[in-house]
Structures are given as structure tokens and as C-alpha cells.
Amino acid sequence: MANNEAHCHIISDRDKRNLCTQVIEEIHNKTISEEVELWQLGATGEIRVIGSIIPHGTIYIFYPLFVDCHHLIYPSNNGSNNHKDVKNSKKTIYN
């Protein structure tokens, strides 16, 4: 959470943040305030989770808002997980 892992970072790029807020509005029918920090969390593998981290006393709570399994927000360097044709993709996040 120190904003220094390859796939764990704050979404600070304006265009990427705008894309995330559009997705959130479409999925949840909610508007995200500019004050809310959006983060991408991911680990080795394919799944990236976009959400918000809210401080609550001495702990931080992560609220997932959507999953970017096609890497449309931040494409992978190797490109094997980037799928812009999501309607025809065979990739699923569950079985």
C-alpha cells in the first residue's frame, strides 16, 4: 500500500481516473467525489481490482468498486492480458 508495487498504486492520471469514474457510475449508479482516492490493487497474475482506500482510525479499509480483468485501465507491459474486445473474450473471473 506504499504506492510502490507494480500493480498497486493510486490512480492519479486524469484520463484513467475519468474512465474509472465512468465505469463506477455505470455499475453502481453512484458519482465518485474528486476527494475520493481511487486505487488499483493487483498481484502477480491477471486480476486488477479498482477501489477506494478509506482510513478508519488506525486501519485502512479497501472498498472494491470493480474488477479490471481485461486490463483496460492500465494495460500490461507484456500485452498478453490486454483484451479490448471484451465481448468476445473467453476470459472470466469466476468458474
Side-chain angles (χ1 to χ4, degrees), residues 2 5-6 8-9 11 14 23-24 27 36-38 44-45 51 54 59 67 72 82 84 86 92 95:
E5 291 294 324
C8 299
H9 52 81
I11 299 172
R14 178 61 40 203
V23 171
I24 293 164
I27 292 172
V36 174
E37 290 183 345
L38 294 178
T44 304
I54 308 294
I59 63 170
V67 174
L72 298 177
N82 305 333
K84 291 190 179 196
V86 297
T92 62
N95 290 326

Side-chain angles (χ1 to χ4, degrees), residues 11-58:
I11 299 172
S12 56
D13 178 271
R14 178 61 40 203
D15 291 337
K16 293 183 184 307
R17 181 182 167 87
N18 287 342
L19 179 56
C20 289
T21 57
Q22 289 174 5
V23 171
I24 293 164
E25 288 175 9
E26 179 71 24
I27 292 172
H28 300 289
N29 198 28
K30 301 283 183 195
T31 301
I32 296 294
S33 166
E34 285 292 321
E35 291 81 34
V36 174
E37 290 183 345
L38 294 178
W39 283 72
Q40 172 183 277
L41 298 184
T44 304
E46 301 177 4
I47 302 298
R48 306 289 184 264
V49 179
I50 308 299
S52 182
I53 298 173
I54 308 294
H56 186 71
T58 59

